[in-house]
Amino acid sequence: MPINAVWQYDYIDHYRLDEDIIDRYLKEKWGNYKYHVKLSGDKYRFWVPRKLKKEEQDALIKRRKPKT
């Protein structure tokens, strides 16, 4: 992660995701930081050094909980 990264909020749809899944993904990607993952309306909001790229969003979506 660049030292001069400007941290910002990013969002992802909440469908079959939870705070733990998102936090675990972000920690794997950028290390053990506090990402402030919170549900905001129908999306999860999280604090990251840059917005997720489309491929990263897709990788996170693949971690959704199975349908019940």
Side-chain angles (χ1 to χ4, degrees):
M1 171 174 34
I3 293 173
N4 61 348
V6 177
W7 286 67
Q8 58 194 297
Y9 281 111
D10 200 357
Y11 300 83
I12 194 158
D13 185 65
H14 80 288
Y15 180 68
R16 291 184 10 233
L17 288 172
D18 63 30
E19 291 179 21
D20 290 335
I21 293 171
I22 296 168
D23 193 58
R24 195 168 28 253
Y25 176 78
L26 297 173
K27 285 181 178 176
E28 289 172 13
K29 180 133 200 76
W30 284 303
N32 192 22
Y33 294 93
K34 180 110 173 110
Y35 295 101
H36 304 285
V37 180
K38 296 288 178 206
L39 187 60
S40 178
D42 62 350
K43 297 188 179 283
Y44 275 104
R45 180 181 78 170
F46 44 92
W47 189 240
V48 287
R50 64 165 172 76
K51 293 198 179 250
L52 295 179
K53 296 176 183 173
K54 174 73 171 122
E55 307 83 46
E56 294 165 332
Q57 290 176 353
D58 292 344
L60 181 52
I61 287 169
K62 286 180 182 177
R63 296 180 179 214
R64 286 179 171 161
K65 295 182 211 175
K67 292 181 182 178
T68 56

PDB file of all heavy atoms in Angstrom, residues 29-46:
ATOM      1  N   LYS A  29      -6.101  -8.232   1.666  1.00  0.00           N
ATOM      2  CA  LYS A  29      -5.632  -7.347   0.601  1.00  0.00           C
ATOM      3  C   LYS A  29      -4.628  -6.313   1.104  1.00  0.00           C
ATOM      4  O   LYS A  29      -3.602  -6.099   0.475  1.00  0.00           O
ATOM      5  CB  LYS A  29      -6.846  -6.643  -0.009  1.00  0.00           C
ATOM      6  CG  LYS A  29      -6.522  -5.699  -1.102  1.00  0.00           C
ATOM      7  CD  LYS A  29      -7.444  -5.957  -2.240  1.00  0.00           C
ATOM      8  CE  LYS A  29      -6.912  -5.414  -3.511  1.00  0.00           C
ATOM      9  NZ  LYS A  29      -5.850  -6.177  -4.105  1.00  0.00           N
ATOM     10  N   TRP A  30      -4.922  -5.656   2.230  1.00  0.00           N
ATOM     11  CA  TRP A  30      -4.117  -4.524   2.673  1.00  0.00           C
ATOM     12  C   TRP A  30      -3.519  -4.657   4.072  1.00  0.00           C
ATOM     13  O   TRP A  30      -2.881  -3.725   4.554  1.00  0.00           O
ATOM     14  CB  TRP A  30      -4.942  -3.238   2.605  1.00  0.00           C
ATOM     15  CG  TRP A  30      -5.105  -2.737   1.204  1.00  0.00           C
ATOM     16  CD1 TRP A  30      -4.117  -2.435   0.325  1.00  0.00           C
ATOM     17  CD2 TRP A  30      -6.330  -2.461   0.537  1.00  0.00           C
ATOM     18  NE1 TRP A  30      -4.660  -1.999  -0.857  1.00  0.00           N
ATOM     19  CE2 TRP A  30      -6.018  -1.997  -0.752  1.00  0.00           C
ATOM     20  CE3 TRP A  30      -7.657  -2.551   0.910  1.00  0.00           C
ATOM     21  CZ2 TRP A  30      -6.979  -1.630  -1.675  1.00  0.00           C
ATOM     22  CZ3 TRP A  30      -8.625  -2.191  -0.015  1.00  0.00           C
ATOM     23  CH2 TRP A  30      -8.278  -1.736  -1.289  1.00  0.00           C
ATOM     24  N   GLY A  31      -3.760  -5.734   4.748  1.00  0.00           N
ATOM     25  CA  GLY A  31      -3.170  -5.894   6.071  1.00  0.00           C
ATOM     26  C   GLY A  31      -4.143  -5.602   7.201  1.00  0.00           C
ATOM     27  O   GLY A  31      -5.310  -5.262   6.984  1.00  0.00           O
ATOM     28  N   ASN A  32      -3.628  -5.705   8.413  1.00  0.00           N
ATOM     29  CA  ASN A  32      -4.455  -5.610   9.613  1.00  0.00           C
ATOM     30  C   ASN A  32      -4.687  -4.152  10.020  1.00  0.00           C
ATOM     31  O   ASN A  32      -3.980  -3.619  10.867  1.00  0.00           O
ATOM     32  CB  ASN A  32      -3.793  -6.398  10.745  1.00  0.00           C
ATOM     33  CG  ASN A  32      -4.713  -6.591  11.913  1.00  0.00           C
ATOM     34  OD1 ASN A  32      -5.925  -6.510  11.768  1.00  0.00           O
ATOM     35  ND2 ASN A  32      -4.146  -6.837  13.078  1.00  0.00           N
ATOM     36  N   TYR A  33      -5.670  -3.528   9.405  1.00  0.00           N
ATOM     37  CA  TYR A  33      -6.081  -2.161   9.727  1.00  0.00           C
ATOM     38  C   TYR A  33      -7.537  -2.178  10.150  1.00  0.00           C
ATOM     39  O   TYR A  33      -8.243  -3.159   9.975  1.00  0.00           O
ATOM     40  CB  TYR A  33      -5.934  -1.246   8.499  1.00  0.00           C
ATOM     41  CG  TYR A  33      -4.513  -1.045   8.060  1.00  0.00           C
ATOM     42  CD1 TYR A  33      -3.946  -1.866   7.095  1.00  0.00           C
ATOM     43  CD2 TYR A  33      -3.723  -0.048   8.620  1.00  0.00           C
ATOM     44  CE1 TYR A  33      -2.636  -1.694   6.689  1.00  0.00           C
ATOM     45  CE2 TYR A  33      -2.414   0.131   8.221  1.00  0.00           C
ATOM     46  CZ  TYR A  33      -1.878  -0.697   7.252  1.00  0.00           C
ATOM     47  OH  TYR A  33      -0.590  -0.533   6.868  1.00  0.00           O
ATOM     48  N   LYS A  34      -8.023  -1.063  10.649  1.00  0.00           N
ATOM     49  CA  LYS A  34      -9.445  -0.904  10.993  1.00  0.00           C
ATOM     50  C   LYS A  34     -10.143  -0.315   9.774  1.00  0.00           C
ATOM     51  O   LYS A  34      -9.884   0.832   9.407  1.00  0.00           O
ATOM     52  CB  LYS A  34      -9.589   0.020  12.206  1.00  0.00           C
ATOM     53  CG  LYS A  34     -11.002   0.231  12.630  1.00  0.00           C
ATOM     54  CD  LYS A  34     -11.262  -0.446  13.954  1.00  0.00           C
ATOM     55  CE  LYS A  34     -12.632  -0.076  14.449  1.00  0.00           C
ATOM     56  NZ  LYS A  34     -13.530  -1.198  14.393  1.00  0.00           N
ATOM     57  N   TYR A  35     -10.978  -1.096   9.127  1.00  0.00           N
ATOM     58  CA  TYR A  35     -11.632  -0.684   7.888  1.00  0.00           C
ATOM     59  C   TYR A  35     -13.017  -0.085   8.108  1.00  0.00           C
ATOM     60  O   TYR A  35     -13.643   0.356   7.152  1.00  0.00           O
ATOM     61  CB  TYR A  35     -11.703  -1.872   6.913  1.00  0.00           C
ATOM     62  CG  TYR A  35     -10.319  -2.300   6.495  1.00  0.00           C
ATOM     63  CD1 TYR A  35      -9.711  -3.413   7.061  1.00  0.00           C
ATOM     64  CD2 TYR A  35      -9.596  -1.569   5.575  1.00  0.00           C
ATOM     65  CE1 TYR A  35      -8.426  -3.789   6.700  1.00  0.00           C
ATOM     66  CE2 TYR A  35      -8.306  -1.934   5.206  1.00  0.00           C
ATOM     67  CZ  TYR A  35      -7.732  -3.042   5.776  1.00  0.00           C
ATOM     68  OH  TYR A  35      -6.461  -3.404   5.420  1.00  0.00           O
ATOM     69  N   HIS A  36     -13.484  -0.056   9.333  1.00  0.00           N
ATOM     70  CA  HIS A  36     -14.762   0.588   9.687  1.00  0.00           C
ATOM     71  C   HIS A  36     -15.902   0.103   8.790  1.00  0.00           C
ATOM     72  O   HIS A  36     -16.641   0.900   8.220  1.00  0.00           O
ATOM     73  CB  HIS A  36     -14.638   2.103   9.626  1.00  0.00           C
ATOM     74  CG  HIS A  36     -13.552   2.655  10.486  1.00  0.00           C
ATOM     75  ND1 HIS A  36     -13.664   2.748  11.852  1.00  0.00           N
ATOM     76  CD2 HIS A  36     -12.300   3.096  10.179  1.00  0.00           C
ATOM     77  CE1 HIS A  36     -12.547   3.252  12.354  1.00  0.00           C
ATOM     78  NE2 HIS A  36     -11.697   3.447  11.371  1.00  0.00           N
ATOM     79  N   VAL A  37     -16.051  -1.216   8.667  1.00  0.00           N
ATOM     80  CA  VAL A  37     -17.105  -1.807   7.833  1.00  0.00           C
ATOM     81  C   VAL A  37     -18.440  -1.664   8.556  1.00  0.00           C
ATOM     82  O   VAL A  37     -18.607  -2.133   9.671  1.00  0.00           O
ATOM     83  CB  VAL A  37     -16.809  -3.303   7.552  1.00  0.00           C
ATOM     84  CG1 VAL A  37     -17.909  -3.906   6.698  1.00  0.00           C
ATOM     85  CG2 VAL A  37     -15.441  -3.473   6.912  1.00  0.00           C
ATOM     86  N   LYS A  38     -19.380  -0.991   7.926  1.00  0.00           N
ATOM     87  CA  LYS A  38     -20.716  -0.775   8.513  1.00  0.00           C
ATOM     88  C   LYS A  38     -21.769  -0.825   7.423  1.00  0.00           C
ATOM     89  O   LYS A  38     -21.550  -0.363   6.302  1.00  0.00           O
ATOM     90  CB  LYS A  38     -20.799   0.610   9.185  1.00  0.00           C
ATOM     91  CG  LYS A  38     -19.872   0.796  10.353  1.00  0.00           C
ATOM     92  CD  LYS A  38     -20.333  -0.002  11.542  1.00  0.00           C
ATOM     93  CE  LYS A  38     -19.358   0.162  12.688  1.00  0.00           C
ATOM     94  NZ  LYS A  38     -19.356  -0.927  13.592  1.00  0.00           N
ATOM     95  N   LEU A  39     -22.926  -1.369   7.788  1.00  0.00           N
ATOM     96  CA  LEU A  39     -24.062  -1.376   6.873  1.00  0.00           C
ATOM     97  C   LEU A  39     -24.660   0.027   6.826  1.00  0.00           C
ATOM     98  O   LEU A  39     -24.941   0.636   7.851  1.00  0.00           O
ATOM     99  CB  LEU A  39     -25.108  -2.389   7.339  1.00  0.00           C
ATOM    100  CG  LEU A  39     -26.271  -2.628   6.395  1.00  0.00           C
ATOM    101  CD1 LEU A  39     -25.789  -3.144   5.044  1.00  0.00           C
ATOM    102  CD2 LEU A  39     -27.258  -3.610   7.013  1.00  0.00           C
ATOM    103  N   SER A  40     -24.828   0.543   5.612  1.00  0.00           N
ATOM    104  CA  SER A  40     -25.380   1.879   5.403  1.00  0.00           C
ATOM    105  C   SER A  40     -26.465   1.765   4.329  1.00  0.00           C
ATOM    106  O   SER A  40     -26.153   1.681   3.139  1.00  0.00           O
ATOM    107  CB  SER A  40     -24.266   2.839   4.961  1.00  0.00           C
ATOM    108  OG  SER A  40     -24.770   4.126   4.718  1.00  0.00           O
ATOM    109  N   GLY A  41     -27.716   1.698   4.759  1.00  0.00           N
ATOM    110  CA  GLY A  41     -28.803   1.467   3.812  1.00  0.00           C
ATOM    111  C   GLY A  41     -28.730   0.039   3.299  1.00  0.00           C
ATOM    112  O   GLY A  41     -28.699  -0.909   4.070  1.00  0.00           O
ATOM    113  N   ASP A  42     -28.649  -0.121   1.980  1.00  0.00           N
ATOM    114  CA  ASP A  42     -28.554  -1.470   1.404  1.00  0.00           C
ATOM    115  C   ASP A  42     -27.134  -1.793   0.927  1.00  0.00           C
ATOM    116  O   ASP A  42     -26.921  -2.722   0.163  1.00  0.00           O
ATOM    117  CB  ASP A  42     -29.563  -1.646   0.262  1.00  0.00           C
ATOM    118  CG  ASP A  42     -29.308  -0.696  -0.895  1.00  0.00           C
ATOM    119  OD1 ASP A  42     -28.489   0.229  -0.763  1.00  0.00           O
ATOM    120  OD2 ASP A  42     -29.943  -0.880  -1.957  1.00  0.00           O
ATOM    121  N   LYS A  43     -26.160  -1.016   1.390  1.00  0.00           N
ATOM    122  CA  LYS A  43     -24.762  -1.237   1.021  1.00  0.00           C
ATOM    123  C   LYS A  43     -23.886  -1.248   2.266  1.00  0.00           C
ATOM    124  O   LYS A  43     -24.212  -0.626   3.274  1.00  0.00           O
ATOM    125  CB  LYS A  43     -24.267  -0.144   0.072  1.00  0.00           C
ATOM    126  CG  LYS A  43     -25.000  -0.127  -1.258  1.00  0.00           C
ATOM    127  CD  LYS A  43     -24.348   0.824  -2.215  1.00  0.00           C
ATOM    128  CE  LYS A  43     -25.042   0.824  -3.543  1.00  0.00           C
ATOM    129  NZ  LYS A  43     -24.736  -0.308  -4.376  1.00  0.00           N
ATOM    130  N   TYR A  44     -22.786  -1.974   2.173  1.00  0.00           N
ATOM    131  CA  TYR A  44     -21.764  -1.892   3.217  1.00  0.00           C
ATOM    132  C   TYR A  44     -20.785  -0.792   2.829  1.00  0.00           C
ATOM    133  O   TYR A  44     -20.384  -0.676   1.674  1.00  0.00           O
ATOM    134  CB  TYR A  44     -21.008  -3.215   3.356  1.00  0.00           C
ATOM    135  CG  TYR A  44     -21.714  -4.176   4.262  1.00  0.00           C
ATOM    136  CD1 TYR A  44     -22.414  -5.252   3.756  1.00  0.00           C
ATOM    137  CD2 TYR A  44     -21.677  -4.001   5.644  1.00  0.00           C
ATOM    138  CE1 TYR A  44     -23.066  -6.142   4.587  1.00  0.00           C
ATOM    139  CE2 TYR A  44     -22.340  -4.883   6.486  1.00  0.00           C
ATOM    140  CZ  TYR A  44     -23.022  -5.941   5.947  1.00  0.00           C
ATOM    141  OH  TYR A  44     -23.676  -6.815   6.782  1.00  0.00           O
ATOM    142  N   ARG A  45     -20.432   0.009   3.812  1.00  0.00           N
ATOM    143  CA  ARG A  45     -19.464   1.086   3.635  1.00  0.00           C
ATOM    144  C   ARG A  45     -18.197   0.673   4.362  1.00  0.00           C
ATOM    145  O   ARG A  45     -18.256   0.145   5.469  1.00  0.00           O
ATOM    146  CB  ARG A  45     -20.028   2.378   4.221  1.00  0.00           C
ATOM    147  CG  ARG A  45     -19.106   3.567   4.095  1.00  0.00           C
ATOM    148  CD  ARG A  45     -19.737   4.765   4.711  1.00  0.00           C
ATOM    149  NE  ARG A  45     -19.596   4.658   6.169  1.00  0.00           N
ATOM    150  CZ  ARG A  45     -19.875   5.618   7.018  1.00  0.00           C
ATOM    151  NH1 ARG A  45     -20.375   6.754   6.594  1.00  0.00           N
ATOM    152  NH2 ARG A  45     -19.713   5.438   8.305  1.00  0.00           N
ATOM    153  N   PHE A  46     -17.032   0.917   3.749  1.00  0.00           N
ATOM    154  CA  PHE A  46     -15.765   0.566   4.385  1.00  0.00           C
ATOM    155  C   PHE A  46     -14.684   1.565   3.983  1.00  0.00           C
ATOM    156  O   PHE A  46     -14.742   2.179   2.929  1.00  0.00           O
ATOM    157  CB  PHE A  46     -15.358  -0.876   4.043  1.00  0.00           C
ATOM    158  CG  PHE A  46     -15.539  -1.243   2.590  1.00  0.00           C
ATOM    159  CD1 PHE A  46     -14.509  -1.089   1.689  1.00  0.00           C
ATOM    160  CD2 PHE A  46     -16.753  -1.735   2.143  1.00  0.00           C
ATOM    161  CE1 PHE A  46     -14.676  -1.424   0.354  1.00  0.00           C
ATOM    162  CE2 PHE A  46     -16.935  -2.075   0.811  1.00  0.00           C
ATOM    163  CZ  PHE A  46     -15.890  -1.921  -0.087  1.00  0.00           C
TER     164      PHE A  46
END
